[in-house]
Amino acid sequence: MGIAEKYEAVIGLEIHAQLATQSKLFCGDAASFGAEPNTHISPITMGHPGTLPKTNVKAVEYAIKLGIACGSRIENNNYFARKNYFYPDLPKGYQITQHTTPICVGGAIKIKGEDGDKIVQLNRIHLEEDAGKSIHDASAQDTYIDLNRAGTPLVEMVTEPCIHSAQDAFLFVSEVRRLVRWIGVCDGNMEEGSLRCDANISIRLKGDKKLGTRVEVKNLNSIRNIKKAIEFEIDRLIQITEAGGTILQQTRSFDANNDTTFSIRDKEYANDYRYFPDPDLAPFQLTQQYIKDIEIAMPVLPGALKNTWKSDYALSEYDVEQLCENKEEADFYAAWTKQTNQYKSAANWILGPIREYLNETNSNYKALLPFIPCLVELLDLVASKELSFSMASGKVFKAVMQQMQSPREYAKSNNLLQSNSSDEIEVWVDQVLLMHPEKIIEYKKGKKGLIGLFTGEVKKLSQGKADPTITMQLLEQKLKY
Ligand code: ADP
Ligand code: MG
Protein backbone atom coordinates (compact mmCIF):
# COMPACT_ATOMS: atom_id res chain seq x y z
CA MET A 1 0.00 0.00 0.00
CA GLY A 2 1.37 3.40 -0.98
CA ILE A 3 1.79 6.02 1.73
CA ALA A 4 -1.00 8.18 0.33
CA GLU A 5 -3.45 5.23 0.50
CA LYS A 6 -2.90 4.87 4.24
CA TYR A 7 -4.50 8.26 4.87
CA GLU A 8 -7.80 9.93 4.23
CA ALA A 9 -7.91 13.65 3.59
CA VAL A 10 -10.70 15.60 5.32
CA ILE A 11 -11.64 18.96 3.92
CA GLY A 12 -14.17 21.58 4.97
CA LEU A 13 -14.64 24.75 2.95
CA GLU A 14 -15.77 28.24 3.85
CA ILE A 15 -16.91 30.15 0.80
CA HIS A 16 -17.53 33.87 0.84
CA ALA A 17 -19.81 35.08 -1.91
CA GLN A 18 -20.41 38.77 -2.48
CA LEU A 19 -24.11 39.34 -3.00
CA ALA A 20 -25.05 41.10 -6.24
CA THR A 21 -26.94 43.95 -4.58
CA GLN A 22 -26.71 47.56 -5.73
CA SER A 23 -25.85 48.86 -2.29
CA LYS A 24 -24.01 47.73 0.82
CA LEU A 25 -25.42 45.58 3.60
CA PHE A 26 -26.22 48.41 6.02
CA CYS A 27 -26.17 51.63 3.98
CA GLY A 28 -26.78 53.06 0.53
CA ASP A 29 -23.14 53.17 -0.61
CA ALA A 30 -22.66 51.42 -3.96
CA ALA A 31 -21.40 47.87 -3.61
CA SER A 32 -19.88 47.84 -7.10
CA PHE A 33 -16.35 46.68 -7.86
CA GLY A 34 -13.61 48.77 -9.44
CA ALA A 35 -14.44 52.34 -8.41
CA GLU A 36 -11.76 54.89 -7.51
CA PRO A 37 -10.44 53.95 -4.06
CA ASN A 38 -12.34 55.35 -1.07
CA THR A 39 -15.23 56.84 -3.01
CA HIS A 40 -17.99 54.60 -1.63
CA ILE A 41 -17.45 55.40 2.01
CA SER A 42 -20.29 57.23 3.68
CA PRO A 43 -20.10 57.93 7.44
CA ILE A 44 -22.05 54.71 8.01
CA THR A 45 -19.43 52.63 6.23
CA MET A 46 -16.79 54.48 8.25
CA GLY A 47 -18.65 53.79 11.48
CA HIS A 48 -18.69 57.41 12.57
CA PRO A 49 -20.33 58.05 15.94
CA GLY A 50 -24.05 58.65 15.71
CA THR A 51 -24.56 56.86 12.41
CA LEU A 52 -27.19 54.17 12.17
CA PRO A 53 -26.99 51.07 9.98
CA LYS A 54 -30.09 49.79 8.25
CA THR A 55 -30.41 46.28 6.85
CA ASN A 56 -30.53 45.87 3.06
CA VAL A 57 -33.62 43.73 2.44
CA LYS A 58 -32.32 42.59 -0.93
CA ALA A 59 -29.28 41.02 0.70
CA VAL A 60 -31.52 39.11 3.10
CA GLU A 61 -33.62 37.94 0.15
CA TYR A 62 -30.53 36.75 -1.74
CA ALA A 63 -29.25 34.80 1.25
CA ILE A 64 -32.66 33.12 1.58
CA LYS A 65 -32.62 32.25 -2.13
CA LEU A 66 -29.29 30.53 -1.76
CA GLY A 67 -30.53 28.67 1.30
CA ILE A 68 -33.64 27.50 -0.52
CA ALA A 69 -31.52 26.36 -3.47
CA CYS A 70 -29.41 24.27 -1.07
CA GLY A 71 -32.35 22.85 0.83
CA SER A 72 -31.33 24.61 4.04
CA ARG A 73 -33.73 25.43 6.86
CA ILE A 74 -34.37 29.16 6.85
CA GLU A 75 -34.09 30.67 10.31
CA ASN A 76 -37.15 32.72 11.25
CA ASN A 77 -35.64 34.72 14.08
CA ASN A 78 -32.47 36.53 13.13
CA TYR A 79 -30.20 39.13 14.59
CA PHE A 80 -26.85 40.62 13.72
CA ALA A 81 -23.90 40.57 16.10
CA ARG A 82 -20.71 42.55 16.37
CA LYS A 83 -17.49 40.61 16.01
CA ASN A 84 -14.89 42.85 17.61
CA TYR A 85 -11.30 42.98 16.43
CA PHE A 86 -8.82 45.53 15.23
CA TYR A 87 -7.53 45.62 11.70
CA PRO A 88 -6.65 48.63 9.51
CA ASP A 89 -9.19 47.68 6.85
CA LEU A 90 -12.01 47.46 9.41
CA PRO A 91 -12.97 51.07 10.08
CA LYS A 92 -15.59 50.41 12.74
CA GLY A 93 -13.40 48.12 14.83
CA TYR A 94 -15.96 45.37 14.50
CA GLN A 95 -17.57 43.37 11.73
CA ILE A 96 -21.34 42.98 11.67
CA THR A 97 -22.12 39.32 11.15
CA GLN A 98 -24.54 36.63 12.25
CA HIS A 99 -23.34 34.76 15.27
CA THR A 100 -25.67 32.19 16.79
CA THR A 101 -28.47 32.46 14.23
CA PRO A 102 -27.18 31.87 10.70
CA ILE A 103 -29.99 32.69 8.28
CA CYS A 104 -29.67 29.26 6.60
CA VAL A 105 -29.02 26.10 8.59
CA GLY A 106 -27.86 22.81 7.06
CA GLY A 107 -28.60 21.91 3.47
CA ALA A 108 -26.48 20.17 0.88
CA ILE A 109 -25.08 20.47 -2.61
CA LYS A 110 -24.75 17.56 -4.99
CA ILE A 111 -21.58 17.20 -7.04
CA LYS A 112 -20.60 14.80 -9.76
CA GLY A 113 -17.54 13.52 -7.94
CA GLU A 114 -14.54 11.57 -9.21
CA ASP A 115 -16.39 8.34 -8.55
CA GLY A 116 -20.08 9.08 -8.87
CA ASP A 117 -22.51 11.55 -7.35
CA LYS A 118 -21.67 12.92 -3.93
CA ILE A 119 -23.51 15.04 -1.44
CA VAL A 120 -21.61 17.82 0.30
CA GLN A 121 -23.39 18.68 3.55
CA LEU A 122 -23.56 22.31 4.56
CA ASN A 123 -23.26 23.44 8.13
CA ARG A 124 -24.69 26.92 7.57
CA ILE A 125 -24.92 29.99 5.38
CA HIS A 126 -24.81 33.30 7.18
CA LEU A 127 -24.88 36.98 6.26
CA GLU A 128 -22.05 39.34 7.08
CA GLU A 129 -20.38 42.48 5.84
CA ASP A 130 -17.02 42.46 4.09
CA ALA A 131 -13.96 44.40 5.24
CA GLY A 132 -11.99 46.90 3.14
CA LYS A 133 -8.76 46.08 1.39
CA SER A 134 -5.15 46.62 2.39
CA ILE A 135 -2.98 47.14 -0.66
CA HIS A 136 0.58 46.04 -0.04
CA ASP A 137 2.02 46.00 -3.53
CA ALA A 138 1.44 49.61 -4.66
CA SER A 139 4.41 50.99 -2.79
CA ALA A 140 7.64 49.58 -1.38
CA GLN A 141 7.32 51.14 2.07
CA ASP A 142 3.62 51.96 2.55
CA THR A 143 0.42 50.01 2.76
CA TYR A 144 -2.60 51.68 1.20
CA ILE A 145 -6.14 51.16 2.35
CA ASP A 146 -9.21 51.13 0.11
CA LEU A 147 -12.43 51.02 2.12
CA ASN A 148 -14.85 50.79 -0.81
CA ARG A 149 -15.40 47.12 -0.08
CA ALA A 150 -16.05 47.68 3.62
CA GLY A 151 -19.69 46.89 4.32
CA THR A 152 -20.49 45.09 1.08
CA PRO A 153 -22.82 42.15 1.69
CA LEU A 154 -21.45 38.63 1.83
CA VAL A 155 -22.83 35.25 2.53
CA GLU A 156 -20.47 32.75 4.08
CA MET A 157 -21.23 29.16 3.24
CA VAL A 158 -19.61 26.62 5.56
CA THR A 159 -19.47 22.94 4.68
CA GLU A 160 -19.19 20.04 7.05
CA PRO A 161 -15.77 18.34 7.00
CA CYS A 162 -17.02 15.85 4.45
CA ILE A 163 -14.94 16.44 1.32
CA HIS A 164 -12.11 13.97 0.77
CA SER A 165 -10.13 15.07 -2.26
CA ALA A 166 -8.80 18.20 -3.92
CA GLN A 167 -10.73 17.26 -7.04
CA ASP A 168 -14.04 17.05 -5.16
CA ALA A 169 -13.34 20.43 -3.54
CA PHE A 170 -12.72 21.79 -7.02
CA LEU A 171 -16.01 20.34 -8.27
CA PHE A 172 -17.88 21.63 -5.24
CA VAL A 173 -16.72 25.21 -5.71
CA SER A 174 -17.51 24.99 -9.43
CA GLU A 175 -21.01 23.85 -8.52
CA VAL A 176 -21.44 26.66 -5.99
CA ARG A 177 -20.33 29.16 -8.60
CA ARG A 178 -22.82 27.83 -11.12
CA LEU A 179 -25.59 27.88 -8.52
CA VAL A 180 -25.06 31.46 -7.30
CA ARG A 181 -24.94 32.67 -10.88
CA TRP A 182 -27.98 30.61 -11.80
CA ILE A 183 -30.15 32.15 -9.11
CA GLY A 184 -28.60 35.58 -9.67
CA VAL A 185 -27.35 36.26 -6.14
CA CYS A 186 -23.63 36.64 -6.96
CA ASP A 187 -21.71 37.15 -10.19
CA GLY A 188 -19.31 34.36 -9.23
CA ASN A 189 -16.39 36.37 -10.53
CA MET A 190 -13.39 34.98 -8.69
CA GLU A 191 -10.84 37.34 -10.24
CA GLU A 192 -12.70 40.29 -8.74
CA GLY A 193 -13.02 38.50 -5.43
CA SER A 194 -16.79 37.99 -5.61
CA LEU A 195 -16.20 34.38 -4.62
CA ARG A 196 -13.38 33.49 -2.22
CA CYS A 197 -12.63 30.33 -0.37
CA ASP A 198 -10.85 29.23 2.80
CA ALA A 199 -9.92 25.57 2.82
CA ASN A 200 -9.61 23.62 6.08
CA ILE A 201 -7.58 20.47 5.66
CA SER A 202 -6.60 17.58 7.89
CA ILE A 203 -5.62 13.97 7.41
CA ARG A 204 -6.33 10.83 9.39
CA LEU A 205 -5.63 7.14 9.02
CA LYS A 206 -8.23 5.51 6.83
CA GLY A 207 -11.02 4.13 8.97
CA ASP A 208 -10.40 6.57 11.83
CA LYS A 209 -13.44 8.53 12.94
CA LYS A 210 -11.71 11.27 14.90
CA LEU A 211 -10.72 14.40 12.99
CA GLY A 212 -7.05 15.26 12.77
CA THR A 213 -5.55 18.67 13.50
CA ARG A 214 -6.46 21.02 10.70
CA VAL A 215 -4.70 23.76 8.84
CA GLU A 216 -6.64 26.53 7.18
CA VAL A 217 -5.51 28.04 3.88
CA LYS A 218 -7.01 31.50 3.58
CA ASN A 219 -8.34 33.54 0.70
CA LEU A 220 -8.05 31.27 -2.29
CA ASN A 221 -9.23 33.27 -5.24
CA SER A 222 -9.46 30.81 -8.08
CA ILE A 223 -10.78 27.30 -8.41
CA ARG A 224 -7.41 26.18 -9.69
CA ASN A 225 -5.67 27.59 -6.62
CA ILE A 226 -8.14 25.85 -4.32
CA LYS A 227 -7.22 22.55 -5.88
CA LYS A 228 -3.48 23.21 -5.90
CA ALA A 229 -3.45 24.43 -2.30
CA ILE A 230 -5.34 21.37 -1.07
CA GLU A 231 -3.12 18.98 -3.02
CA PHE A 232 -0.04 20.62 -1.56
CA GLU A 233 -1.39 20.55 1.99
CA ILE A 234 -2.48 16.91 1.89
CA ASP A 235 1.02 15.98 0.75
CA ARG A 236 2.68 18.14 3.35
CA LEU A 237 0.55 16.81 6.20
CA ILE A 238 1.22 13.21 5.19
CA GLN A 239 4.96 13.85 5.02
CA ILE A 240 5.04 15.45 8.47
CA THR A 241 3.07 12.56 9.93
CA GLU A 242 5.17 9.90 8.23
CA ALA A 243 8.32 11.57 9.55
CA GLY A 244 6.90 11.32 13.07
CA GLY A 245 6.24 15.05 13.37
CA THR A 246 3.28 16.87 14.88
CA ILE A 247 0.86 18.89 12.82
CA LEU A 248 0.33 22.39 14.16
CA GLN A 249 -3.02 24.08 13.82
CA GLN A 250 -2.04 26.87 11.49
CA THR A 251 -3.46 29.52 9.27
CA ARG A 252 -1.66 29.44 5.96
CA SER A 253 -1.59 31.32 2.70
CA PHE A 254 -1.17 30.10 -0.86
CA ASP A 255 1.67 31.20 -3.11
CA ALA A 256 0.40 30.94 -6.66
CA ASN A 257 3.90 31.46 -8.07
CA ASN A 258 5.03 28.00 -7.03
CA ASP A 259 1.79 26.29 -5.91
CA THR A 260 2.90 26.01 -2.29
CA THR A 261 1.55 27.33 1.01
CA PHE A 262 3.26 29.08 3.90
CA SER A 263 2.29 29.69 7.50
CA ILE A 264 0.96 33.09 8.47
CA ARG A 265 0.16 32.29 12.07
CA ASP A 266 -0.15 29.47 14.56
CA LYS A 267 -3.55 29.21 16.16
CA GLU A 268 -2.92 27.98 19.69
CA TYR A 269 -6.12 29.31 21.14
CA ALA A 270 -9.44 30.55 19.83
CA ASN A 271 -9.69 34.31 19.42
CA ASP A 272 -12.17 36.01 21.67
CA TYR A 273 -14.16 38.35 19.49
CA ARG A 274 -16.53 39.42 22.25
CA TYR A 275 -19.59 38.87 20.11
CA PHE A 276 -22.73 40.68 21.20
CA PRO A 277 -26.00 41.56 19.43
CA ASP A 278 -25.61 44.82 17.52
CA PRO A 279 -27.66 47.35 19.53
CA ASP A 280 -28.21 49.54 16.46
CA LEU A 281 -29.94 46.81 14.48
CA ALA A 282 -33.25 45.36 15.60
CA PRO A 283 -33.61 41.58 15.36
CA PHE A 284 -35.61 40.65 12.27
CA GLN A 285 -38.28 38.01 11.85
CA LEU A 286 -38.99 36.20 8.60
CA THR A 287 -42.50 34.88 8.13
CA GLN A 288 -43.16 31.60 6.36
CA GLN A 289 -45.17 33.51 3.77
CA TYR A 290 -42.23 35.80 3.00
CA ILE A 291 -39.93 32.81 2.51
CA LYS A 292 -42.55 31.03 0.41
CA ASP A 293 -42.95 34.05 -1.88
CA ILE A 294 -39.21 34.12 -2.50
CA GLU A 295 -39.24 30.42 -3.27
CA ILE A 296 -42.08 30.75 -5.75
CA ALA A 297 -40.24 33.45 -7.68
CA MET A 298 -37.09 31.35 -8.05
CA PRO A 299 -36.02 29.82 -11.35
CA VAL A 300 -36.05 26.05 -11.80
CA LEU A 301 -32.70 24.82 -10.50
CA PRO A 302 -30.19 23.07 -12.75
CA GLY A 303 -30.66 19.68 -11.07
CA ALA A 304 -34.41 19.64 -11.63
CA LEU A 305 -34.08 21.01 -15.14
CA LYS A 306 -31.57 18.34 -16.08
CA ASN A 307 -33.92 15.61 -14.87
CA THR A 308 -36.84 17.07 -16.80
CA TRP A 309 -34.88 17.26 -20.01
CA LYS A 310 -33.55 13.76 -19.60
CA SER A 311 -37.00 12.28 -19.07
CA ASP A 312 -39.19 14.50 -21.29
CA TYR A 313 -36.74 15.19 -24.11
CA ALA A 314 -34.69 11.98 -23.94
CA LEU A 315 -31.45 13.97 -23.78
CA SER A 316 -28.26 12.31 -22.60
CA GLU A 317 -26.52 13.03 -19.31
CA TYR A 318 -23.77 14.75 -21.27
CA ASP A 319 -26.19 16.99 -23.16
CA VAL A 320 -28.08 18.17 -20.09
CA GLU A 321 -24.86 18.73 -18.17
CA GLN A 322 -23.60 20.91 -20.99
CA LEU A 323 -26.84 22.81 -21.52
CA CYS A 324 -27.13 23.63 -17.82
CA GLU A 325 -23.57 24.88 -17.55
CA ASN A 326 -24.95 28.40 -17.52
CA LYS A 327 -28.42 29.77 -17.22
CA GLU A 328 -28.42 31.92 -20.37
CA GLU A 329 -27.78 28.85 -22.47
CA ALA A 330 -30.36 26.77 -20.62
CA ASP A 331 -32.94 29.55 -20.93
CA PHE A 332 -32.26 29.82 -24.63
CA TYR A 333 -32.68 26.10 -25.10
CA ALA A 334 -35.92 26.22 -23.11
CA ALA A 335 -37.25 29.10 -25.25
CA TRP A 336 -36.30 27.34 -28.45
CA THR A 337 -37.82 23.99 -27.50
CA LYS A 338 -41.11 25.75 -26.75
CA GLN A 339 -41.32 26.22 -30.50
CA THR A 340 -39.95 22.96 -31.80
CA ASN A 341 -40.10 19.36 -30.71
CA GLN A 342 -36.75 18.48 -32.24
CA TYR A 343 -35.18 18.45 -28.81
CA LYS A 344 -32.05 16.49 -29.60
CA SER A 345 -31.29 18.45 -32.76
CA ALA A 346 -31.72 21.76 -30.97
CA ALA A 347 -29.28 20.56 -28.28
CA ASN A 348 -26.77 19.54 -30.94
CA TRP A 349 -27.08 22.91 -32.61
CA ILE A 350 -26.41 24.73 -29.37
CA LEU A 351 -23.40 22.64 -28.43
CA GLY A 352 -22.05 22.93 -31.97
CA PRO A 353 -22.65 25.76 -34.43
CA ILE A 354 -24.37 28.16 -32.06
CA ARG A 355 -21.66 28.13 -29.40
CA GLU A 356 -19.09 28.51 -32.14
CA TYR A 357 -20.97 31.44 -33.62
CA LEU A 358 -21.33 33.20 -30.24
CA ASN A 359 -17.65 32.72 -29.60
CA GLU A 360 -16.56 34.02 -32.95
CA THR A 361 -18.84 37.02 -32.90
CA ASN A 362 -18.50 37.68 -29.18
CA SER A 363 -22.28 37.71 -28.99
CA ASN A 364 -24.69 36.31 -26.40
CA TYR A 365 -27.88 34.33 -26.12
CA LYS A 366 -30.00 37.38 -25.43
CA ALA A 367 -29.11 38.76 -28.85
CA LEU A 368 -30.02 35.42 -30.37
CA LEU A 369 -33.55 35.23 -28.96
CA PRO A 370 -35.25 37.04 -31.88
CA PHE A 371 -33.73 34.48 -34.25
CA ILE A 372 -35.56 31.53 -32.69
CA PRO A 373 -38.22 31.35 -35.46
CA CYS A 374 -35.42 31.19 -38.05
CA LEU A 375 -33.70 28.45 -36.07
CA VAL A 376 -36.94 26.49 -35.86
CA GLU A 377 -37.20 26.67 -39.64
CA LEU A 378 -33.59 25.58 -40.03
CA LEU A 379 -34.24 22.46 -37.93
CA ASP A 380 -37.27 21.70 -40.09
CA LEU A 381 -35.30 22.07 -43.29
CA VAL A 382 -32.71 19.61 -42.04
CA ALA A 383 -35.34 17.18 -40.73
CA SER A 384 -37.17 17.16 -44.05
CA LYS A 385 -33.81 16.68 -45.77
CA GLU A 386 -34.25 19.81 -47.81
CA LEU A 387 -30.95 21.04 -46.43
CA SER A 388 -27.98 18.98 -45.32
CA PHE A 389 -26.82 19.71 -41.78
CA SER A 390 -23.53 21.06 -43.05
CA MET A 391 -25.24 23.40 -45.48
CA ALA A 392 -27.75 24.49 -42.84
CA SER A 393 -25.23 25.08 -40.08
CA GLY A 394 -22.70 26.65 -42.41
CA LYS A 395 -23.71 28.94 -45.22
CA VAL A 396 -27.41 29.30 -44.45
CA PHE A 397 -27.00 29.84 -40.71
CA LYS A 398 -24.38 32.52 -41.28
CA ALA A 399 -26.52 34.33 -43.84
CA VAL A 400 -29.54 34.28 -41.56
CA MET A 401 -27.51 35.59 -38.64
CA GLN A 402 -26.10 38.38 -40.73
CA GLN A 403 -29.47 39.55 -41.85
CA MET A 404 -32.61 38.15 -40.31
CA GLN A 405 -34.50 36.34 -43.04
CA SER A 406 -36.26 33.08 -43.64
CA PRO A 407 -33.69 30.32 -44.13
CA ARG A 408 -36.03 28.63 -46.57
CA GLU A 409 -36.32 31.75 -48.70
CA TYR A 410 -32.58 32.29 -48.58
CA ALA A 411 -31.81 28.68 -49.51
CA LYS A 412 -34.38 28.74 -52.28
CA SER A 413 -33.17 31.95 -53.87
CA ASN A 414 -29.56 30.76 -53.67
CA ASN A 415 -30.47 27.41 -55.11
CA LEU A 416 -29.24 25.49 -52.05
CA LEU A 417 -32.23 23.35 -51.27
CA GLN A 418 -31.38 19.71 -51.35
CA SER A 419 -33.23 17.41 -53.63
CA ASN A 420 -34.92 14.47 -52.03
CA SER A 421 -36.69 13.58 -55.22
CA SER A 422 -35.30 10.24 -56.36
CA ASP A 423 -35.88 11.10 -59.99
CA GLU A 424 -33.66 14.13 -59.89
CA ILE A 425 -30.97 12.36 -57.88
CA GLU A 426 -31.06 9.39 -60.24
CA VAL A 427 -30.02 11.63 -63.11
CA TRP A 428 -26.95 12.73 -61.17
CA VAL A 429 -26.16 9.16 -60.10
CA ASP A 430 -26.37 7.91 -63.67
CA GLN A 431 -24.13 10.70 -64.87
CA VAL A 432 -21.50 9.87 -62.29
CA LEU A 433 -21.58 6.16 -63.07
CA LEU A 434 -21.21 6.91 -66.77
CA MET A 435 -18.06 8.88 -66.03
CA HIS A 436 -16.37 6.01 -64.12
CA PRO A 437 -16.76 2.69 -65.95
CA GLU A 438 -13.42 1.32 -64.70
CA LYS A 439 -14.26 2.14 -61.08
CA ILE A 440 -17.51 0.24 -61.43
CA ILE A 441 -15.57 -2.87 -62.43
CA GLU A 442 -13.23 -2.46 -59.46
CA TYR A 443 -16.21 -2.00 -57.18
CA LYS A 444 -17.86 -5.14 -58.46
CA LYS A 445 -14.60 -7.03 -57.94
CA GLY A 446 -14.89 -6.21 -54.27
CA LYS A 447 -13.44 -2.74 -53.71
CA LYS A 448 -16.56 -1.64 -51.84
CA GLY A 449 -14.88 1.46 -50.46
CA LEU A 450 -15.38 3.08 -53.83
CA ILE A 451 -18.96 3.83 -52.83
CA GLY A 452 -17.50 6.84 -51.05
CA LEU A 453 -16.03 8.13 -54.27
CA PHE A 454 -19.35 7.76 -56.09
CA THR A 455 -21.35 9.54 -53.39
CA GLY A 456 -18.72 12.27 -53.29
CA GLU A 457 -19.00 12.77 -57.03
CA VAL A 458 -22.80 12.95 -56.83
CA LYS A 459 -22.51 15.51 -54.07
CA LYS A 460 -20.16 17.57 -56.20
CA LEU A 461 -22.24 17.31 -59.33
CA SER A 462 -25.42 18.27 -57.47
CA GLN A 463 -23.61 21.03 -55.61
CA GLY A 464 -24.53 19.45 -52.33
CA LYS A 465 -28.20 19.24 -53.09
CA ALA A 466 -28.58 15.49 -53.44
CA ASP A 467 -29.79 13.87 -50.25
CA PRO A 468 -26.96 11.55 -49.17
CA THR A 469 -29.20 8.71 -47.96
CA ILE A 470 -31.15 8.55 -51.20
CA THR A 471 -27.93 8.86 -53.18
CA MET A 472 -26.49 5.89 -51.34
CA GLN A 473 -29.62 3.80 -51.83
CA LEU A 474 -29.68 4.50 -55.57
CA LEU A 475 -25.98 3.76 -55.97
CA GLU A 476 -26.25 0.47 -54.13
CA GLN A 477 -29.22 -0.57 -56.24
CA LYS A 478 -27.49 0.26 -59.48
CA LEU A 479 -24.17 -1.34 -58.55
CA LYS A 480 -25.69 -4.59 -57.34
CA TYR A 481 -25.60 -6.36 -60.70
P1 ADP B 1 -13.57 28.49 12.33
O1 ADP B 1 -14.77 29.37 12.28
O2 ADP B 1 -12.74 28.62 13.53
O3 ADP B 1 -12.74 28.56 11.08
P2 ADP B 1 -15.35 26.14 12.17
O4 ADP B 1 -15.46 25.13 13.26
O5 ADP B 1 -16.52 26.97 11.90
O6 ADP B 1 -14.04 26.98 12.46
O7 ADP B 1 -14.96 25.32 10.87
C1 ADP B 1 -14.64 25.93 9.71
C2 ADP B 1 -14.50 24.87 8.63
O8 ADP B 1 -13.48 23.94 8.96
C3 ADP B 1 -15.73 24.05 8.38
O9 ADP B 1 -15.92 23.93 6.99
C4 ADP B 1 -15.41 22.70 8.96
O10 ADP B 1 -16.04 21.68 8.27
C5 ADP B 1 -13.93 22.61 8.76
N1 ADP B 1 -13.22 21.77 9.73
C6 ADP B 1 -13.31 21.80 11.07
N2 ADP B 1 -12.48 20.89 11.62
C7 ADP B 1 -11.84 20.28 10.60
C8 ADP B 1 -10.83 19.25 10.51
N3 ADP B 1 -10.31 18.68 11.60
N4 ADP B 1 -10.41 18.90 9.29
C9 ADP B 1 -10.91 19.47 8.19
N5 ADP B 1 -11.84 20.44 8.20
C10 ADP B 1 -12.30 20.83 9.40
MG1 MG C 1 -12.49 29.65 9.38
Side-chain angles (χ1 to χ4, degrees):
M1 185 162 68
I3 292 172
E5 276 81 69
K6 249 168 76 180
Y7 295 97
E8 175 182 56
V10 179
I11 301 152
L13 300 177
E14 297 162 83
I15 297 182
H16 288 95
Q18 187 183 333
L19 296 173
T21 54
Q22 296 286 315
S23 54
K24 293 187 180 179
L25 187 49
F26 299 111
C27 71
D29 288 346
S32 57
F33 176 85
E36 275 293 298
N38 300 310
T39 52
H40 298 164
I41 50 165
S42 66
I44 302 181
T45 289
M46 301 305 288
H48 288 180
T51 55
L52 275 179
K54 201 165 159 265
T55 304
N56 182 340
V57 179
K58 206 75 192 166
V60 174
E61 182 191 318
Y62 283 1
I64 294 172
K65 275 190 173 171
L66 185 56
I68 291 172
C70 299
S72 311
R73 176 177 70 74
I74 309 300
E75 175 62 55
N76 295 103
N77 297 303
N78 294 268
Y79 73 92
F80 282 106
R82 291 185 182 179
K83 179 181 180 179
N84 299 281
Y85 67 97
F86 170 79
Y87 207 75
D89 64 15
L90 190 74
K92 297 198 292 281
Y94 57 84
Q95 178 195 26
I96 305 178
T97 179
Q98 292 192 295
H99 186 214
T100 56
T101 60
I103 188 161
C104 312
V105 182
I109 287 181
K110 192 161 103 180
I111 56 165
K112 295 206 147 325
E114 280 181 306
D115 23 62
D117 284 354
K118 283 184 195 154
I119 302 288
V120 175
Q121 298 291 344
L122 305 182
N123 176 285
R124 65 178 188 270
I125 303 170
H126 69 255
L127 271 164
E128 62 184 32
E129 60 177 351
D130 207 347
K133 245 187 242 173
S134 300
I135 300 160
H136 302 290
D137 53 7
S139 147
Q141 60 277 13
D142 299 318
T143 291
Y144 292 102
I145 307 256
D146 176 8
L147 293 174
N148 280 348
R149 200 179 67 181
T152 55
L154 301 176
V155 279
E156 178 176 342
M157 173 187 278
V158 183
T159 77
E160 295 297 345
C162 64
I163 301 169
H164 298 292
S165 73
Q167 174 65 13
D168 283 353
F170 175 93
L171 292 169
F172 173 73
V173 181
S174 308
E175 191 59 44
V176 170
R177 185 172 56 174
R178 163 162 72 177
L179 191 62
V180 294
R181 284 178 169 163
W182 191 278
I183 61 177
V185 302
C186 167
D187 65 23
N189 195 332
M190 297 191 84
E191 299 81 61
E192 294 179 359
S194 302
L195 209 60
R196 314 190 286 272
C197 178
D198 303 338
N200 297 268
I201 304 139
S202 63
I203 57 162
R204 63 185 171 195
L205 285 172
K206 260 190 194 151
D208 274 5
K209 288 279 162 283
K210 214 170 138 264
L211 291 172
T213 305
R214 69 171 150 143
V215 291
E216 179 170 3
V217 187
K218 282 278 190 198
N219 273 323
L220 295 160
N221 62 357
S222 83
I223 300 193
R224 176 198 173 272
N225 290 355
I226 292 168
K227 191 173 171 195
K228 290 286 171 198
I230 294 173
E231 277 168 355
F232 180 82
E233 273 312 304
I234 293 174
D235 248 29
R236 197 181 65 85
L237 298 180
I238 290 177
Q239 274 176 32
I240 293 174
T241 309
E242 283 288 308
T246 314
I247 291 164
L248 299 175
Q249 184 170 341
Q250 277 176 336
T251 303
R252 299 177 71 89
S253 188
F254 182 67
D255 183 350
N257 294 316
N258 52 18
D259 292 347
T260 60
T261 69
F262 56 93
S263 172
I264 39 184
R265 58 180 175 267
D266 288 351
K267 210 177 192 176
E268 313 86 21
Y269 53 89
N271 288 317
D272 185 354
Y273 291 111
R274 301 282 172 119
Y275 284 98
F276 64 88
D278 193 307
D280 289 340
L281 287 159
F284 60 102
Q285 277 77 37
L286 305 170
T287 64
Q288 281 314 111
Q289 190 55 48
Y290 177 70
I291 297 165
K292 191 97 213 135
D293 288 345
I294 292 175
E295 184 170 4
I296 289 167
M298 279 179 52
V300 181
L301 297 173
L305 201 54
K306 283 193 267 182
N307 286 339
T308 309
W309 287 346
K310 275 197 286 188
S311 64
D312 295 3
Y313 294 177
L315 295 186
S316 67
E317 181 66 38
Y318 174 82
D319 284 345
V320 294
E321 192 56 47
Q322 288 287 319
L323 289 171
C324 292
E325 194 50 57
N326 72 71
K327 185 153 182 302
E328 289 70 38
E329 190 164 89
D331 283 348
F332 184 79
Y333 178 74
W336 189 2
T337 48
K338 275 206 181 102
Q339 299 183 40
T340 180
N341 53 14
Q342 297 193 54
Y343 309 121
K344 174 63 182 158
S345 304
N348 291 347
W349 270 77
I350 287 184
L351 306 190
I354 291 182
R355 277 190 183 177
E356 196 180 310
Y357 168 80
L358 293 181
N359 257 331
E360 277 169 8
T361 56
N362 209 357
S363 183
N364 57 52
Y365 281 105
K366 223 181 214 137
L368 222 57
L369 279 174
F371 288 90
I372 284 182
C374 299
L375 292 170
V376 170
E377 203 176 292
L378 266 173
L379 289 189
D380 288 343
L381 287 166
V382 177
S384 64
K385 306 208 149 141
E386 289 166 277
L387 273 184
S388 67
F389 173 74
S390 65
M391 183 66 83
S393 62
K395 200 168 179 179
V396 181
F397 176 57
K398 289 213 172 76
V400 170
M401 286 298 127
Q402 236 155 50
Q403 188 198 350
M404 199 187 291
Q405 56 185 319
S406 150
R408 180 184 293 283
E409 295 308 317
Y410 173 83
K412 212 186 258 170
S413 55
N414 287 276
N415 200 21
L416 301 173
L417 286 182
Q418 184 169 261
S419 175
N420 54 8
S421 122
S422 300
D423 292 350
E424 201 178 345
I425 298 174
E426 192 168 4
V427 177
W428 288 315
V429 166
D430 286 341
Q431 257 175 295
V432 165
L433 292 178
L434 266 176
M435 288 183 323
H436 298 288
E438 69 297 342
K439 298 280 182 217
I440 296 176
I441 296 171
E442 283 179 46
Y443 177 88
K444 288 189 175 168
K445 277 188 182 154
K447 215 170 159 189
K448 299 292 177 209
L450 282 169
I451 196 84
L453 175 117
F454 296 129
T455 47
E457 290 289 300
V458 173
K459 188 175 168 191
K460 240 192 266 169
L461 191 65
S462 69
Q463 293 176 315
K465 293 191 292 178
D467 173 69
T469 317
I470 299 175
T471 305
M472 189 72 103
Q473 281 165 359
L474 285 169
L475 278 165
E476 273 169 354
Q477 258 172 38
K478 286 176 189 277
L479 288 166
K480 220 182 249 167
Y481 308 106

